[in-house]
Amino acid sequence: MSDNHPDTSLHEPDQALHVEDLTVAYGSVTALWDIDIDIPPSVMCAIVGPNGSGKSTLLKTALGLVKPVAGHVRFLGRPVRAMRGQIGYVPQRQSVDWDFPITAREVVEMGLYRSLGWLRRPDARARARAMDALAELGMQDYAGRQISQLSGGQQQRVFIARALVQDAPILILDEPMAGVDASTEAIIIALLKRLRDAGRTIIVVHHDLTTVQSYFDWLVMMNVRVIAQGPVREVYTPENLRATYGRQLAMIATPAGDRDG
Amino acid sequence: MAELLSSGIVQTVLMGAALLGAISGMLGAFAVLRRQSLLGDALAHAALPGVCLGFLIAGARDLGAIMAGAFFTGALAALVMMLITRRTALKTDAALGIVLSVFFAMGIVLLTHVQGQGRTASAGLETFLFGQAAAILRADLWIMGGVGLAALGVVLALWKEFKLVSFDPDFARANGLPVLPLEAALTVLVALAIVVGLQLVGVVLMVALLIAPAAAARQWTRSLGAMVALSALIGAASGAGGALVSAAQRGLATGPVVVLIATGVVLISLAIAPERGLLWQALAARRARARISDRRVLATLQGLAAAHDDTHYPAERGMLKTALGAMPRSTRLEGLEARGLIRSVTHPPETTPHWELTSAGHREADRLARKTRAEGQDP
C-alpha cells in the first residue's frame, strides 16, 4: 500500500472510512478505478452495484486483504493495520467450509482470539461473551451445534455474532442477506440498526435494491468507479441507478421501492 | 506373536511405523481441512532429488544428510508452488502437478545417475521410492520421536491460531494475525513429517499416510481437537498394524501394507460412521421417508373425516390409495395402528379393509400439521 502518512498523524479522522484514489487490478482486469469514498461515523451504509462492480474487492482492499495498485484507505483517520481488532468483518458466507468440525460457539470465540493473545485458550469469560453475542442474534440454543447442521440463515447469524463479539466501532459485512430466510434478515437488520443507534458505523455490501431505502441511511453506488455517494434520500435517484446498473435496472427495482413487474 | 514382538528389528519397525503414523495423522488433519492434501503429495515427491543430493554431498548413505536434503528440496518445491500460484495465472492444481512431476523427474534422473556411478553404497537409494522399513535403526526412532514431540509442541502452542487459519484465513488476516507465517509453519510441519516417513513409506506413498487417517477421523468426530487426536491414533494403529502384518508374513513390504490398512479404515469409516457414514445417511433418509409417509396417511384420514363430518370416518383401501398416489406398505399401517393412531375396522356390507383415525391419531395429525407449518418444510 502506498502509505505516505505515518500511523501517528491522523488523516481524515472525521470519517469512519476514507478511501482516496484507490485503484485495484487483478492481472489486466481493473476491479476498482480511482475510487474516492467518505463514510461518516454512526451511519448504516449500503454499498450497491451490479455483479463484478468491485464491491467485495473494495471491502477486501479496505481491510488490507487485497493490495491496491494505488491509493490509500483510512478508518477514523488511521491505516487499517493500526485498527486491527477495531473493525468487525463478516466475510461472504460461502468463503469458508461449513463442514469444518467446529461448533457455533467456537466460531464466535474466534472473534476474541486477537484480544486473547498468543498461547491463551478461550476461557470461561470468553465463552460467556460468545454466548452473549449468539443470544443477540437469537442463536443461544444452537451454541453447541455443529456449524454444518445449521441452516444458511443460522450460519450467517453465527458469522455476524463472531464480528459482534469483537465489540468493534466499525462493522463491515459482505452480502449478509444473501441466501438467508426472512426472519434472519429481520433479526440482522434490527441488530445492525441497534448498533448504529449506539454509535457504531455499519458498512454493508448489499444486493437487494428493494430494501435499500428502508434499511440504510447512507449509500455508495458503484460500478468499478464510484457513481454516487451520500445520504440515501439524496443519492437513490433514477439517474444514479441507471448510471450504476445500466440496462439491468428495469429488471431489478425502481427508486420508489415498488417492484417493476 | 510374542515371538515376533521379541525381535529387536520388529520392535523398532513397529515403534517407527506407529510414531510416523501418529505424526502424519496429526498434521494430515490440518492438511485435509485446509484442502492441501495434494500439497503433501507434491512435497513428498519433491523430496526425492533432495535424497540423492544429500547422498552425493555426504558421499555415503548418511541419514542425517539425506533427510536434510529431502527437507530442502521439499521446502523449495513448496516455495516454487507458492510463487507459481501467486505470480502466474495458473491455478493450484496445475501448479501442484507441474512441481510434483518436475521435481520427481529430477529425483529420478539424479537417482539413476548415482546408481550409474556403480558405487556399492548407492545400492539402497531406490528404497526411498517405496520405503524399506527394515532399514530403520534404533537411532532413527530418536529422530522420529524428536520430530513428533516438536510438532506436537508447535500444534499445541499455536492451537487456536491454526484452527482459525484453517477455518477462515481471510478473517484471520483482517484481525491482524500473521496468516502467511502460520500457514508456512503448517507446511513446514507437513514437510517434516514427510521427511521422517521417507525411509519407511517412501516418497510415492507418503501422501496416503497424511490423508487417510485424517479422512477417516473426520467421519467420527465433531471437534477439531477430537479429529486431530483420532487421526493421530488411526495413523499410529495403521502403522503398528502394517508393521506386524509385514513381519508375520515374509515378503510383504511394510509401507504399502500400512497404507492399505489406513485406507481400509477410511472405507469402513465412510460406510458406517454415525451421521456422516453412507449407511447412516441411507437409514436417516429411510426414516425421513417413513415419517413423511406416516404424516400423509394421518393427514389424508383427517381430511376424509372432516369432509364426511365424521371424526371416525372409515376410509377404504382404494380411497387411501387414490388420495396418496400409492398405497403405503402394510407394515407402515400396522406401525401406525400399533401406536394407537389408526384403527383397522370393517365397514359392512363392504368386505375390504378400512381404517379410521383414533382420537390420538387426530391429535398427532394436528401436531404434525402445526410442525410442518412452523418449519415451512418437510421435517
Side-chain angles (χ1 to χ4, degrees):
Chain A
M1 198 178 297
S2 66
D3 245 323
N4 304 318
H5 309 269
D7 288 13
T8 43
S9 77
L10 297 179
H11 171 69
E12 300 284 347
D14 297 335
Q15 303 295 343
L17 174 65
H18 167 73
V19 177
E20 196 173 317
D21 299 341
L22 193 72
T23 295
V24 175
Y26 295 117
S28 59
V29 181
T30 309
L32 298 175
W33 177 251
D34 199 15
I35 296 267
D36 293 305
I37 294 175
D38 279 307
I39 298 175
S42 305
V43 298
M44 194 150 139
C45 171
I47 300 176
V48 301
N51 291 335
S53 58
K55 301 174 300 248
S56 290
T57 302
L58 173 64
L59 293 193
K60 287 187 174 171
T61 314
L63 288 160
L65 305 179
V66 172
K67 263 200 172 143
V69 178
H72 64 256
V73 175
R74 291 292 181 273
F75 289 98
L76 298 168
R78 293 192 169 82
V80 67
R81 64 181 134 64
M83 289 290 286
R84 297 291 185 206
Q86 298 183 64
I87 304 165
Y89 174 43
V90 182
Q92 286 189 17
R93 188 157 52 87
Q94 311 90 285
S95 65
V96 303
D97 174 16
W98 288 94
D99 196 33
F100 202 87
I102 195 172
T103 63
R105 199 198 68 219
E106 286 178 278
V107 172
V108 178
E109 283 170 4
M110 286 179 171
L112 296 167
Y113 281 6
R114 187 192 155 79
S115 58
L116 279 169
W118 298 95
L119 296 175
R120 282 189 52 208
R121 299 279 174 87
D123 48 13
R125 220 175 70 87
R127 269 195 293 275
R129 285 181 63 184
M131 287 303 293
D132 288 347
L134 280 170
E136 288 270 359
L137 287 140
M139 286 290 292
Q140 64 279 16
D141 295 339
Y142 297 89
R145 281 276 187 100
Q146 287 279 295
I147 55 169
S148 57
Q149 295 171 351
L150 300 175
S151 72
Q154 291 168 334
Q155 291 175 344
Q156 189 65 60
R157 285 191 257 169
V158 170
F159 250 28
I160 292 176
R162 180 177 68 171
L164 183 67
V165 80
Q166 290 180 270
D167 211 12
I170 299 173
L171 263 182
I172 293 184
L173 302 90
D174 200 347
E175 302 243 12
M177 316 303 181
V180 307
D181 50 287
S183 67
T184 293
E185 183 159 333
I187 289 171
I188 292 174
I189 280 301
L191 171 74
L192 293 182
K193 284 184 171 170
R194 241 177 10 253
L195 292 170
R196 190 256 329 263
D197 295 343
R200 319 282 180 95
T201 310
I202 317 289
I203 301 171
V204 183
V205 163
H206 195 60
H207 64 284
D208 182 6
L209 286 177
T210 59
T211 51
V212 163
Q213 287 166 302
S214 52
Y215 289 171
F216 299 95
D217 50 20
W218 200 267
L219 183 62
V220 173
M221 300 171 88
M222 61 180 290
N223 192 348
V224 183
R225 303 153 190 260
V226 171
I227 308 292
Q229 57 180 319
V232 170
R233 59 183 183 287
E234 291 170 22
V235 175
Y236 198 74
T237 63
E239 299 79 56
N240 286 337
L241 281 166
R242 214 170 296 124
T244 310
Y245 287 89
R247 289 176 176 279
Q248 292 179 41
L249 179 64
M251 299 183 296
I252 302 170
T254 59
D258 43 31
R259 282 166 200 272
D260 218 354
Chain B
M1 185 62 103
E3 199 181 319
L4 261 182
L5 284 174
S6 63
S7 147
I9 285 213
V10 173
Q11 281 175 9
T12 308
V13 171
L14 186 75
M15 281 193 279
L19 253 176
L20 173 66
I23 296 170
S24 53
M26 171 175 77
L27 298 171
F30 288 101
V32 165
L33 286 176
R34 293 171 62 225
R35 307 186 168 203
Q36 295 227 308
S37 326
L38 288 178
L39 178 69
D41 200 20
L43 289 188
H45 280 79
L48 188 61
V51 168
C52 301
L53 284 177
F55 173 83
L56 284 173
I57 289 170
R61 199 174 188 279
D62 174 61
L63 197 64
I66 285 174
M67 283 172 103
F71 184 77
F72 174 74
T73 51
L76 191 68
L79 195 71
V80 171
M81 216 136 45
M82 200 186 80
L83 285 177
I84 291 179
T85 45
R86 291 200 167 196
R87 293 290 157 85
T88 74
L90 282 183
K91 299 278 181 279
T92 316
D93 58 335
L96 278 170
I98 291 169
V99 169
L100 184 151
S101 42
V102 167
F103 274 74
F104 191 59
M106 288 194 294
I108 295 290
V109 168
L110 276 173
L111 186 66
T112 45
H113 168 70
V114 170
Q115 286 173 330
Q117 290 180 333
R119 281 189 272 176
T120 47
S122 68
L125 269 197
E126 75 277 0
T127 60
F128 282 96
L129 278 177
F130 297 107
Q132 189 182 36
I136 286 196
L137 306 173
R138 275 280 149 142
D140 299 344
L141 289 185
W142 289 106
I143 300 180
M144 298 175 99
V147 169
L149 273 183
L152 182 66
V154 173
V155 166
L156 286 180
L158 297 176
W159 180 258
K160 72 177 191 304
E161 284 78 16
F162 281 167
K163 184 165 155 184
L164 177 49
V165 163
S166 302
F167 176 61
D168 192 350
D170 268 359
F171 184 81
R173 212 170 285 131
N175 267 274
L177 236 64
V179 172
L180 199 66
L182 285 167
E183 289 183 330
L186 277 170
T187 307
V188 165
L189 287 178
V190 168
L192 271 179
I194 287 167
V195 165
V196 163
L198 286 185
Q199 205 183 185
L200 224 147
V201 182
V203 298
V204 178
L205 291 177
M206 187 56 213
V207 65
L209 266 196
L210 283 171
I211 301 178
R218 177 67 191 97
Q219 289 294 104
W220 303 91
T221 51
R222 309 168 123 247
S223 77
L224 182 64
M227 177 178 168
V228 171
L230 184 63
S231 179
L233 199 72
I234 291 174
S238 308
L244 280 178
V245 168
S246 68
Q249 190 76 43
R250 276 186 63 86
L252 288 185
T254 310
V257 173
V258 170
V259 169
L260 285 180
I261 291 180
T263 315
V265 177
V266 173
L267 289 180
I268 293 170
S269 305
L270 285 176
I272 66 165
E275 285 182 29
R276 303 172 62 89
L278 295 173
L279 202 64
W280 181 282
Q281 285 177 356
L283 286 176
R286 225 178 99 179
R287 277 197 300 273
R289 273 199 303 276
R291 243 190 348 261
I292 291 168
S293 151
D294 284 357
R295 205 186 57 215
R296 290 187 62 208
V297 170
L298 295 181
T300 305
L301 286 173
Q302 194 174 39
L304 286 170
H308 288 84
D309 226 357
D310 171 8
T311 41
H312 296 296
Y313 174 77
E316 196 181 343
R317 189 189 152 80
M319 236 174 158
L320 263 184
K321 186 175 173 193
T322 310
L324 291 169
M327 198 58 200
R329 290 208 188 118
S330 57
T331 48
R332 293 245 57 86
L333 293 178
E334 284 162 17
L336 287 172
E337 195 167 8
R339 285 161 65 197
L341 301 177
I342 61 173
R343 200 168 20 230
S344 159
V345 289
T346 49
H347 188 59
E350 288 158 30
T351 52
T352 48
H354 286 63
W355 288 273
E356 64 175 46
L357 214 52
T358 63
S359 323
H362 274 289
R363 280 194 302 276
E364 178 69 5
D366 289 340
R367 192 184 69 83
L368 289 174
R370 270 198 309 276
K371 197 172 153 202
T372 309
R373 267 200 305 277
E375 290 173 358
Q377 58 189 15
D378 282 337

Short mmCIF file of all heavy atoms in Angstrom, two decimals, chain B residues 333-378:
data_model
loop_
_atom_site.label_atom_id
_atom_site.label_comp_id
_atom_site.label_asym_id
_atom_site.label_seq_id
_atom_site.Cartn_x
_atom_site.Cartn_y
_atom_site.Cartn_z
N LEU B 333 -48.82 -49.12 7.97
CA LEU B 333 -50.15 -49.00 8.56
C LEU B 333 -50.21 -49.75 9.88
O LEU B 333 -50.77 -49.27 10.86
CB LEU B 333 -51.20 -49.53 7.58
CG LEU B 333 -51.37 -48.68 6.31
CD1 LEU B 333 -52.40 -49.31 5.38
CD2 LEU B 333 -51.79 -47.26 6.66
N GLU B 334 -49.59 -50.93 9.89
CA GLU B 334 -49.56 -51.68 11.15
C GLU B 334 -48.81 -50.90 12.22
O GLU B 334 -49.20 -50.91 13.40
CB GLU B 334 -48.87 -53.05 10.94
CG GLU B 334 -49.75 -54.07 10.24
CD GLU B 334 -48.93 -55.22 9.67
OE1 GLU B 334 -47.77 -55.38 10.09
OE2 GLU B 334 -49.46 -55.94 8.81
N GLY B 335 -47.75 -50.24 11.79
CA GLY B 335 -46.99 -49.43 12.75
C GLY B 335 -47.84 -48.33 13.33
O GLY B 335 -47.84 -48.10 14.55
N LEU B 336 -48.59 -47.67 12.47
CA LEU B 336 -49.46 -46.59 12.95
C LEU B 336 -50.53 -47.15 13.88
O LEU B 336 -50.91 -46.53 14.87
CB LEU B 336 -50.12 -45.88 11.76
CG LEU B 336 -49.20 -44.98 10.94
CD1 LEU B 336 -49.90 -44.49 9.68
CD2 LEU B 336 -48.75 -43.78 11.77
N GLU B 337 -51.00 -48.36 13.54
CA GLU B 337 -52.04 -48.99 14.37
C GLU B 337 -51.46 -49.35 15.73
O GLU B 337 -52.10 -49.14 16.77
CB GLU B 337 -52.57 -50.24 13.65
CG GLU B 337 -53.86 -50.75 14.24
CD GLU B 337 -54.53 -51.79 13.35
OE1 GLU B 337 -53.89 -52.20 12.35
OE2 GLU B 337 -55.67 -52.17 13.65
N ALA B 338 -50.21 -49.86 15.71
CA ALA B 338 -49.57 -50.25 16.96
C ALA B 338 -49.37 -49.03 17.87
O ALA B 338 -49.39 -49.14 19.10
CB ALA B 338 -48.22 -50.91 16.67
N ARG B 339 -49.18 -47.86 17.26
CA ARG B 339 -49.00 -46.65 18.06
C ARG B 339 -50.35 -46.06 18.49
O ARG B 339 -50.42 -45.00 19.12
CB ARG B 339 -48.22 -45.60 17.26
CG ARG B 339 -46.73 -45.91 17.17
CD ARG B 339 -46.06 -45.15 16.04
NE ARG B 339 -46.08 -43.70 16.27
CZ ARG B 339 -45.88 -42.80 15.30
NH1 ARG B 339 -45.66 -43.20 14.07
NH2 ARG B 339 -45.91 -41.51 15.58
N GLY B 340 -51.43 -46.73 18.09
CA GLY B 340 -52.75 -46.29 18.52
C GLY B 340 -53.26 -45.08 17.77
O GLY B 340 -54.15 -44.38 18.25
N LEU B 341 -52.70 -44.81 16.61
CA LEU B 341 -53.10 -43.61 15.88
C LEU B 341 -54.21 -43.91 14.88
O LEU B 341 -55.03 -43.05 14.58
CB LEU B 341 -51.90 -43.02 15.14
CG LEU B 341 -50.73 -42.63 16.05
CD1 LEU B 341 -49.54 -42.11 15.24
CD2 LEU B 341 -51.15 -41.57 17.06
N ILE B 342 -54.23 -45.13 14.34
CA ILE B 342 -55.34 -45.54 13.46
C ILE B 342 -55.87 -46.87 13.94
O ILE B 342 -55.22 -47.57 14.72
CB ILE B 342 -54.91 -45.63 11.97
CG1 ILE B 342 -53.81 -46.69 11.80
CG2 ILE B 342 -54.43 -44.31 11.44
CD1 ILE B 342 -53.48 -46.96 10.34
N ARG B 343 -57.05 -47.21 13.46
CA ARG B 343 -57.67 -48.45 13.85
C ARG B 343 -58.17 -49.12 12.58
O ARG B 343 -58.73 -48.45 11.71
CB ARG B 343 -58.84 -48.14 14.78
CG ARG B 343 -59.26 -49.30 15.62
CD ARG B 343 -60.22 -48.90 16.75
NE ARG B 343 -60.92 -47.64 16.55
CZ ARG B 343 -60.96 -46.68 17.50
NH1 ARG B 343 -60.35 -46.84 18.65
NH2 ARG B 343 -61.63 -45.57 17.28
N SER B 344 -57.90 -50.40 12.49
CA SER B 344 -58.39 -51.15 11.35
C SER B 344 -59.83 -51.59 11.67
O SER B 344 -60.07 -52.16 12.73
CB SER B 344 -57.47 -52.35 11.09
OG SER B 344 -58.15 -53.32 10.36
N VAL B 345 -60.75 -51.28 10.78
CA VAL B 345 -62.16 -51.59 11.05
C VAL B 345 -62.80 -52.23 9.82
O VAL B 345 -62.24 -52.15 8.72
CB VAL B 345 -62.96 -50.32 11.40
CG1 VAL B 345 -62.55 -49.82 12.77
CG2 VAL B 345 -62.78 -49.27 10.33
N THR B 346 -63.93 -52.85 10.04
CA THR B 346 -64.71 -53.31 8.89
C THR B 346 -65.92 -52.42 8.76
O THR B 346 -66.39 -51.83 9.74
CB THR B 346 -65.17 -54.76 9.06
OG1 THR B 346 -65.76 -54.89 10.36
CG2 THR B 346 -64.00 -55.72 8.92
N HIS B 347 -66.40 -52.29 7.55
CA HIS B 347 -67.49 -51.36 7.29
C HIS B 347 -68.50 -52.09 6.41
O HIS B 347 -68.54 -51.90 5.20
CB HIS B 347 -66.91 -50.13 6.58
CG HIS B 347 -67.90 -49.03 6.44
ND1 HIS B 347 -68.53 -48.45 7.52
CD2 HIS B 347 -68.38 -48.37 5.34
CE1 HIS B 347 -69.34 -47.51 7.10
NE2 HIS B 347 -69.27 -47.44 5.77
N PRO B 348 -69.35 -52.96 7.05
CA PRO B 348 -70.28 -53.76 6.27
C PRO B 348 -71.20 -52.85 5.47
O PRO B 348 -71.50 -51.74 5.94
CB PRO B 348 -71.07 -54.55 7.31
CG PRO B 348 -70.42 -54.27 8.62
CD PRO B 348 -69.48 -53.16 8.48
N PRO B 349 -71.67 -53.24 4.35
CA PRO B 349 -71.52 -54.57 3.76
C PRO B 349 -70.18 -54.78 3.03
O PRO B 349 -69.94 -55.89 2.55
CB PRO B 349 -72.67 -54.61 2.76
CG PRO B 349 -72.80 -53.19 2.31
CD PRO B 349 -72.47 -52.35 3.49
N GLU B 350 -69.33 -53.72 2.96
CA GLU B 350 -68.07 -53.94 2.25
C GLU B 350 -67.16 -54.87 3.03
O GLU B 350 -67.16 -54.85 4.26
CB GLU B 350 -67.36 -52.59 2.02
CG GLU B 350 -68.05 -51.72 0.99
CD GLU B 350 -67.71 -50.26 1.14
OE1 GLU B 350 -66.60 -49.99 1.61
OE2 GLU B 350 -68.55 -49.43 0.81
N THR B 351 -66.39 -55.67 2.30
CA THR B 351 -65.52 -56.64 2.98
C THR B 351 -64.06 -56.21 2.93
O THR B 351 -63.21 -56.83 3.55
CB THR B 351 -65.65 -58.02 2.31
OG1 THR B 351 -65.42 -57.84 0.90
CG2 THR B 351 -67.00 -58.62 2.53
N THR B 352 -63.77 -55.14 2.16
CA THR B 352 -62.37 -54.70 2.06
C THR B 352 -61.92 -54.04 3.36
O THR B 352 -62.76 -53.58 4.14
CB THR B 352 -62.23 -53.69 0.90
OG1 THR B 352 -63.28 -52.72 1.05
CG2 THR B 352 -62.34 -54.37 -0.43
N PRO B 353 -60.60 -54.00 3.60
CA PRO B 353 -60.12 -53.39 4.84
C PRO B 353 -60.35 -51.87 4.85
O PRO B 353 -60.21 -51.21 3.83
CB PRO B 353 -58.62 -53.72 4.85
CG PRO B 353 -58.28 -54.18 3.49
CD PRO B 353 -59.53 -54.61 2.81
N HIS B 354 -60.72 -51.36 5.99
CA HIS B 354 -60.92 -49.92 6.20
C HIS B 354 -60.07 -49.47 7.39
O HIS B 354 -59.77 -50.28 8.28
CB HIS B 354 -62.39 -49.61 6.52
CG HIS B 354 -63.28 -49.72 5.33
ND1 HIS B 354 -63.47 -50.90 4.65
CD2 HIS B 354 -64.03 -48.77 4.70
CE1 HIS B 354 -64.30 -50.70 3.65
NE2 HIS B 354 -64.66 -49.41 3.65
N TRP B 355 -59.75 -48.19 7.39
CA TRP B 355 -59.05 -47.63 8.57
C TRP B 355 -59.72 -46.35 9.01
O TRP B 355 -60.21 -45.58 8.19
CB TRP B 355 -57.57 -47.34 8.24
CG TRP B 355 -56.74 -48.56 8.07
CD1 TRP B 355 -56.10 -49.26 9.06
CD2 TRP B 355 -56.48 -49.26 6.86
NE1 TRP B 355 -55.44 -50.34 8.54
CE2 TRP B 355 -55.65 -50.37 7.18
CE3 TRP B 355 -56.85 -49.08 5.52
CZ2 TRP B 355 -55.19 -51.26 6.23
CZ3 TRP B 355 -56.39 -49.97 4.59
CH2 TRP B 355 -55.57 -51.04 4.93
N GLU B 356 -59.72 -46.14 10.32
CA GLU B 356 -60.21 -44.86 10.82
C GLU B 356 -59.21 -44.27 11.79
O GLU B 356 -58.39 -44.98 12.39
CB GLU B 356 -61.57 -45.04 11.51
CG GLU B 356 -61.48 -45.91 12.76
CD GLU B 356 -62.80 -45.98 13.51
OE1 GLU B 356 -63.82 -46.19 12.83
OE2 GLU B 356 -62.79 -45.85 14.74
N LEU B 357 -59.27 -42.93 11.94
CA LEU B 357 -58.35 -42.21 12.81
C LEU B 357 -58.87 -42.29 14.25
O LEU B 357 -60.04 -42.06 14.50
CB LEU B 357 -58.30 -40.74 12.34
CG LEU B 357 -57.02 -39.96 12.45
CD1 LEU B 357 -55.86 -40.71 11.82
CD2 LEU B 357 -57.21 -38.61 11.76
N THR B 358 -58.01 -42.62 15.20
CA THR B 358 -58.40 -42.58 16.60
C THR B 358 -58.27 -41.14 17.11
O THR B 358 -57.76 -40.28 16.40
CB THR B 358 -57.50 -43.48 17.46
OG1 THR B 358 -56.16 -42.94 17.39
CG2 THR B 358 -57.47 -44.90 16.94
N SER B 359 -58.72 -40.89 18.35
CA SER B 359 -58.58 -39.54 18.90
C SER B 359 -57.12 -39.17 19.00
O SER B 359 -56.72 -38.03 18.71
CB SER B 359 -59.22 -39.46 20.28
OG SER B 359 -60.38 -40.25 20.33
N ALA B 360 -56.27 -40.14 19.42
CA ALA B 360 -54.83 -39.89 19.50
C ALA B 360 -54.29 -39.57 18.10
O ALA B 360 -53.43 -38.70 17.95
CB ALA B 360 -54.11 -41.11 20.07
N GLY B 361 -54.84 -40.25 17.09
CA GLY B 361 -54.43 -40.00 15.71
C GLY B 361 -54.75 -38.59 15.27
O GLY B 361 -53.95 -37.93 14.60
N HIS B 362 -55.96 -38.11 15.68
CA HIS B 362 -56.33 -36.73 15.35
C HIS B 362 -55.35 -35.75 15.97
O HIS B 362 -54.90 -34.80 15.33
CB HIS B 362 -57.75 -36.43 15.86
CG HIS B 362 -58.81 -36.82 14.88
ND1 HIS B 362 -59.01 -36.15 13.70
CD2 HIS B 362 -59.72 -37.83 14.90
CE1 HIS B 362 -60.00 -36.73 13.03
NE2 HIS B 362 -60.44 -37.76 13.74
N ARG B 363 -55.01 -36.00 17.26
CA ARG B 363 -54.09 -35.08 17.94
C ARG B 363 -52.72 -35.07 17.24
O ARG B 363 -52.13 -34.02 17.02
CB ARG B 363 -53.92 -35.49 19.41
CG ARG B 363 -55.07 -35.02 20.29
CD ARG B 363 -54.71 -35.14 21.76
NE ARG B 363 -54.37 -36.49 22.17
CZ ARG B 363 -55.28 -37.43 22.51
NH1 ARG B 363 -56.57 -37.12 22.50
NH2 ARG B 363 -54.90 -38.62 22.88
N GLU B 364 -52.26 -36.29 16.89
CA GLU B 364 -50.95 -36.39 16.24
C GLU B 364 -50.96 -35.69 14.88
O GLU B 364 -50.01 -34.98 14.52
CB GLU B 364 -50.57 -37.88 16.07
CG GLU B 364 -49.25 -38.14 15.37
CD GLU B 364 -48.04 -37.72 16.19
OE1 GLU B 364 -48.20 -37.30 17.35
OE2 GLU B 364 -46.92 -37.79 15.65
N ALA B 365 -52.07 -35.85 14.13
CA ALA B 365 -52.17 -35.20 12.82
C ALA B 365 -52.14 -33.68 12.99
O ALA B 365 -51.46 -32.97 12.22
CB ALA B 365 -53.44 -35.64 12.12
N ASP B 366 -52.84 -33.17 14.02
CA ASP B 366 -52.82 -31.72 14.28
C ASP B 366 -51.40 -31.25 14.59
O ASP B 366 -50.94 -30.23 14.09
CB ASP B 366 -53.74 -31.38 15.47
CG ASP B 366 -55.20 -31.55 15.09
OD1 ASP B 366 -55.49 -31.54 13.87
OD2 ASP B 366 -56.04 -31.69 16.00
N ARG B 367 -50.72 -32.05 15.45
CA ARG B 367 -49.38 -31.67 15.89
C ARG B 367 -48.43 -31.59 14.69
O ARG B 367 -47.68 -30.63 14.52
CB ARG B 367 -48.86 -32.70 16.91
CG ARG B 367 -47.59 -32.27 17.65
CD ARG B 367 -47.10 -33.39 18.54
NE ARG B 367 -46.58 -34.52 17.79
CZ ARG B 367 -45.34 -34.57 17.31
NH1 ARG B 367 -44.52 -33.58 17.50
NH2 ARG B 367 -44.93 -35.63 16.61
N LEU B 368 -48.50 -32.63 13.84
CA LEU B 368 -47.59 -32.68 12.69
C LEU B 368 -47.90 -31.54 11.72
O LEU B 368 -46.98 -30.95 11.14
CB LEU B 368 -47.72 -34.03 11.98
CG LEU B 368 -47.13 -35.21 12.75
CD1 LEU B 368 -47.43 -36.51 12.03
CD2 LEU B 368 -45.63 -35.04 12.92
N ALA B 369 -49.19 -31.21 11.58
CA ALA B 369 -49.55 -30.13 10.67
C ALA B 369 -48.98 -28.81 11.18
O ALA B 369 -48.43 -28.00 10.42
CB ALA B 369 -51.07 -30.04 10.53
N ARG B 370 -49.10 -28.61 12.52
CA ARG B 370 -48.53 -27.38 13.10
C ARG B 370 -47.03 -27.32 12.87
O ARG B 370 -46.49 -26.29 12.51
CB ARG B 370 -48.83 -27.34 14.61
CG ARG B 370 -50.14 -26.66 14.96
CD ARG B 370 -50.17 -26.28 16.43
NE ARG B 370 -49.82 -27.36 17.32
CZ ARG B 370 -50.68 -28.29 17.76
NH1 ARG B 370 -51.93 -28.25 17.36
NH2 ARG B 370 -50.28 -29.24 18.58
N LYS B 371 -46.38 -28.46 13.10
CA LYS B 371 -44.92 -28.52 12.98
C LYS B 371 -44.51 -28.19 11.54
O LYS B 371 -43.56 -27.45 11.31
CB LYS B 371 -44.46 -29.93 13.37
CG LYS B 371 -42.98 -30.02 13.69
CD LYS B 371 -42.65 -31.40 14.24
CE LYS B 371 -41.21 -31.73 13.96
NZ LYS B 371 -40.94 -33.14 13.99
N THR B 372 -45.23 -28.77 10.59
CA THR B 372 -44.89 -28.53 9.19
C THR B 372 -45.04 -27.06 8.85
O THR B 372 -44.20 -26.48 8.17
CB THR B 372 -45.81 -29.37 8.29
OG1 THR B 372 -45.79 -30.70 8.75
CG2 THR B 372 -45.33 -29.31 6.85
N ARG B 373 -46.14 -26.45 9.36
CA ARG B 373 -46.33 -25.03 9.09
C ARG B 373 -45.20 -24.21 9.70
O ARG B 373 -44.68 -23.31 9.07
CB ARG B 373 -47.68 -24.58 9.65
CG ARG B 373 -48.81 -24.63 8.64
CD ARG B 373 -49.98 -23.75 9.08
NE ARG B 373 -50.45 -24.07 10.42
CZ ARG B 373 -51.31 -25.06 10.69
NH1 ARG B 373 -51.77 -25.80 9.71
NH2 ARG B 373 -51.71 -25.28 11.91
N ALA B 374 -44.80 -24.56 10.93
CA ALA B 374 -43.77 -23.78 11.63
C ALA B 374 -42.44 -23.87 10.90
O ALA B 374 -41.70 -22.89 10.80
CB ALA B 374 -43.64 -24.28 13.07
N GLU B 375 -42.13 -25.05 10.43
CA GLU B 375 -40.83 -25.21 9.78
C GLU B 375 -40.86 -24.78 8.32
O GLU B 375 -39.82 -24.53 7.71
CB GLU B 375 -40.37 -26.67 9.87
CG GLU B 375 -40.02 -27.07 11.29
CD GLU B 375 -39.74 -28.55 11.41
OE1 GLU B 375 -39.86 -29.25 10.38
OE2 GLU B 375 -39.42 -29.00 12.50
N GLY B 376 -42.05 -24.73 7.77
CA GLY B 376 -42.17 -24.32 6.39
C GLY B 376 -41.59 -25.32 5.42
O GLY B 376 -41.30 -25.00 4.28
N GLN B 377 -41.37 -26.51 5.88
CA GLN B 377 -40.77 -27.52 5.01
C GLN B 377 -41.01 -28.90 5.60
O GLN B 377 -41.46 -29.02 6.72
CB GLN B 377 -39.27 -27.29 4.90
CG GLN B 377 -38.62 -27.33 6.27
CD GLN B 377 -37.17 -26.89 6.21
OE1 GLN B 377 -36.74 -26.32 5.25
NE2 GLN B 377 -36.43 -27.16 7.25
N ASP B 378 -40.65 -29.90 4.85
CA ASP B 378 -40.78 -31.26 5.36
C ASP B 378 -39.74 -31.49 6.45
O ASP B 378 -38.60 -31.10 6.30
CB ASP B 378 -40.56 -32.26 4.23
CG ASP B 378 -41.79 -32.39 3.37
OD1 ASP B 378 -42.90 -32.08 3.85
OD2 ASP B 378 -41.64 -32.79 2.21
#
